[in-house]
Amino acid sequence: MEASIPEQVIQPLLLASDSSHSLDECLQFLIEASKTDSGRSDLASKADILPSILALLQLLPYPSSRHHLNLSLKVLRNLCAGETRNQEAFVDHNGSLVISELLDSAIGDAETVRFGLQVLANVVVMGENRQRDVWLRFFPERFLAIAKVRRLETCDPLCMILYVCFDGSSEIASQLSSDDGLNIIAETMRAVGSVEYYWLKLLVSRLCVEGDCFPGLFSKLANHKDSTFTSDHAFLLSMVSDIVNERLKEVSIPKDTAHFVLGLLSQSVQVFDFASAETSELPTGSAVIDVMGYSLVVIRDACAGGSIEELKNDSSGGNVDMLLSSGLIELLLDLLRKLEPPTTIKKALKQSPSSGKPCPYRGFRRDIVAVIGNCAYRRKEVQDEIRERDGLFLMLQQCVTDDENPFLREWGLWCVRNLLEGNEENQKVVAELEMQGSVDVPQLREIGLRVEIDPLTSRPKLVNDTT
């Protein structure tokens, strides 16, 4: 094989490696030498090294020369790591074309594809011209073919290339947000299953949290043979949920995304029969339960923040308005009423087996209460709606500990405080409930309130507890 390689290709490599031995030893030497900045710089000063490696990649047949092709890709990868002269030489000598032709031949070989993608990743990080060179050669067909390999080891370098190109060019960003681009992202997500790769998460953050691609990408993950939710749907929602929570003070999801997520919550509630329950927290492994839970958590964080007045210049205020006008409170109260009482109340009442339904996952009740509490914060229309829907007594019942809902009591107190703050009608209803013995809420003292009889009206009322 080595005898068939032209001398003008192999001789520069042998000289650079100070080797008169085999091609294998020569390439191994160059791999080690190119691992350091000084080594890459020294090899870059020898103008014929990188072109010779590219020529070698074109000359060696796949798969019979797979070993030497992979070694050559490793050399090329290292040469292009932060070394501008080598990156420019890569572009000048049509490196993207060489890599694309090799990967076309080796598309089912995850290791060779991974090395090829690592080369491209090291090239695109150094500017828009290099990004455009790679993008024009690979988008969309070749990127899609690579994504369809569905191997974990090719996912991260592929996502790095996509993200860096997306971040560096508004034109490329528009193309990746298109139908063709979302097909690539969807195939990549199917490859990783439930593993949150760094670059994939960055892509989802830009496309689906900052951008408006979530509904489109979610639809791409559907199983067209089955109308129900898939594990890929649950994975995407879990990732979006994590990102929204981590960037709570930085970004607000687009209004169309918030509306779409509310639709997912409604649909999952309709599909799930509530006859069975998972004992674990999210993720449970059940696609429909996980979609339900992560939708609820995304909505919780979308509704977090101040009053409408405080958020009037913030798109998150618009999200809450839209969610409320779409029936969010009615849906959540109906869900709470469907559930069996919290364990503390069941024990106190010494009930026979309840006709209520179990929580579908550990923390479900808490998440519902958290959403209501966030929505009620200084929003009188929410406070009033819950009273008008006879929900105050129901919400008071959530101020207890529950074995299946960690921190329910804390969220319940937060919610009740928000429902009562500045709302005399709600305070009056709660005071009368306690005086009638319908409800015993010693926790009211923990949020600074107590019941006393108004001397003018002889009716109970809530007052600030200063004792």
Side-chain angles (χ1 to χ4, degrees):
M1 178 194 66
E2 293 174 33
S4 66
I5 299 172
E7 185 175 346
Q8 65 268 26
V9 172
I10 199 168
Q11 195 63 30
L13 304 178
L14 294 173
L15 289 174
S17 62
D18 195 25
S19 171
S20 58
H21 300 291
S22 68
L23 177 62
D24 192 291
E25 291 178 352
C26 170
L27 293 173
Q28 294 284 5
F29 176 89
L30 292 174
I31 289 170
E32 292 302 315
S34 57
K35 284 182 177 180
T36 65
D37 291 342
S38 59
R40 286 189 290 273
S41 178
D42 179 61
L43 291 171
S45 67
K46 302 175 173 62
D48 48 3
I49 297 298
L50 189 139
S52 294
I53 293 293
L54 289 174
L56 200 58
L57 289 170
Q58 290 178 294
L59 289 166
L60 296 175
Y62 180 89
S64 59
S65 298
R66 177 180 180 274
H67 173 68
H68 289 105
L69 285 167
N70 285 349
L71 292 178
S72 300
L73 286 171
K74 286 183 177 182
V75 175
L76 191 59
R77 175 197 64 192
N78 292 357
L79 288 174
C80 292
E83 176 52 59
T84 302
R85 288 172 294 177
N86 286 332
Q87 293 163 349
E88 289 174 347
F90 180 89
V91 175
D92 292 342
H93 290 83
N94 294 316
S96 295
L97 173 63
V98 175
I99 299 297
S100 68
E101 290 178 343
L102 173 57
L103 297 193
D104 285 346
S105 302
I107 195 61
D109 185 334
E111 186 177 40
T112 300
V113 170
R114 175 166 63 93
F115 291 144
L117 290 174
Q118 289 172 344
V119 173
L120 299 177
N122 283 343
V123 170
V124 298
V125 294
M126 295 302 290
E128 187 172 349
N129 288 338
R130 299 176 182 91
Q131 293 159 13
R132 185 174 299 278
D133 177 66
V134 171
W135 192 263
L136 291 174
R137 184 68 58 186
F138 280 82
F139 182 85
E141 289 86 359
R142 286 191 172 95
F143 281 144
L144 182 60
I146 292 168
K148 284 184 174 180
V149 173
R150 297 189 183 180
R151 295 291 295 272
L152 294 177
E153 53 265 51
T154 60
C155 172
D156 213 38
L158 173 60
C159 288
M160 178 183 175
I161 295 165
L162 295 175
Y163 178 80
V164 171
C165 292
F166 173 95
D167 193 50
S169 164
S170 57
E171 180 183 351
I172 289 175
S174 177
Q175 291 179 14
L176 191 58
S177 302
S178 70
D179 195 62
D180 284 339
L182 294 183
N183 281 332
I184 297 168
I185 305 299
E187 286 296 336
T188 303
M189 295 200 70
R190 290 189 178 101
V192 302
S194 59
V195 181
E196 283 195 2
Y197 276 83
Y198 174 77
W199 292 104
L200 177 59
K201 192 171 183 179
L202 284 180
L203 274 172
V204 170
S205 182
R206 293 293 297 275
L207 289 165
C208 297
V209 178
E210 296 178 45
D212 59 1
C213 294
F214 177 79
L217 181 55
F218 192 91
S219 300
K220 296 285 185 189
L221 295 171
N223 181 350
H224 298 295
K225 297 179 181 179
D226 189 346
S227 60
T228 56
F229 298 112
T230 68
S231 59
D232 298 317
H233 285 144
F235 175 47
L236 174 59
L237 262 171
S238 73
M239 196 180 298
V240 169
S241 170
D242 286 346
I243 294 165
V244 171
N245 185 260
E246 290 165 4
R247 305 185 64 191
L248 203 56
K249 303 296 184 182
E250 302 173 36
V251 297
S252 175
I253 60 174
K255 190 178 294 186
D256 287 347
T257 298
H259 188 266
F260 188 83
V261 173
L262 177 58
L264 296 178
L265 175 61
S266 300
Q267 185 182 350
S268 60
V269 167
Q270 293 169 6
V271 170
F272 187 63
D273 61 9
F274 284 87
S276 59
E278 297 290 337
T279 57
S280 65
E281 297 187 0
L282 297 173
T284 65
S286 164
V288 64
I289 293 177
D290 289 345
V291 167
M292 185 191 309
Y294 286 122
S295 296
L296 200 53
V297 174
V298 170
I299 292 170
R300 178 199 69 194
D301 291 336
C303 294
S307 65
I308 291 178
E309 289 75 19
E310 293 170 321
L311 294 169
K312 61 185 178 182
N313 296 320
D314 187 333
S315 59
S316 61
N319 275 339
V320 179
D321 274 349
M322 179 276 300
L323 291 168
L324 294 174
S325 66
S326 301
L328 174 63
I329 297 300
E330 181 180 9
L331 172 63
L332 297 179
L333 290 177
D334 287 347
L335 281 173
L336 271 183
R337 290 191 176 101
K338 181 182 292 188
L339 300 176
E340 58 188 7
T343 52
T344 299
I345 293 178
K346 284 197 297 183
K347 291 174 184 176
L349 296 176
K350 298 179 181 178
Q351 283 187 337
S352 57
S354 172
S355 60
K357 304 295 185 181
C359 288
Y361 65 88
R362 183 174 168 84
F364 179 65
R365 181 193 303 275
R366 173 204 62 211
D367 292 340
I368 294 174
V369 173
V371 176
I372 296 175
N374 285 348
C375 289
Y377 181 69
R378 296 182 180 176
R379 291 185 175 89
K380 189 174 187 301
E381 72 276 17
V382 178
Q383 298 171 334
D384 291 343
E385 181 180 356
I386 290 175
R387 182 187 69 252
E388 292 160 3
R389 293 187 181 278
D390 296 322
L392 287 176
F393 178 69
L394 179 65
M395 300 316 302
L396 287 167
Q397 289 183 312
Q398 314 308 315
C399 299
V400 295
T401 57
D402 184 8
D403 295 343
E404 297 303 319
N405 289 274
F407 304 107
L408 173 65
R409 183 173 179 275
E410 290 77 6
W411 278 109
L413 289 170
W414 155 259
C415 182
V416 168
R417 189 191 76 173
N418 291 343
L419 289 171
L420 298 180
E421 184 181 23
N423 193 304
E424 293 183 3
E425 295 92 337
N426 284 2
Q427 293 175 17
K428 176 182 174 183
V429 170
V430 172
E432 290 182 345
L433 284 170
E434 183 155 26
M435 291 300 292
Q436 293 166 7
S438 300
V439 61
D440 179 21
V441 194
Q443 294 90 348
L444 286 175
R445 285 185 176 272
E446 297 187 32
I447 58 176
L449 297 171
R450 62 183 172 86
V451 178
E452 78 173 25
I453 301 299
D454 189 323
L456 297 177
T457 64
S458 298
R459 300 180 69 87
K461 66 176 182 179
L462 288 178
V463 298
N464 289 328
D465 184 11
T466 57
T467 60

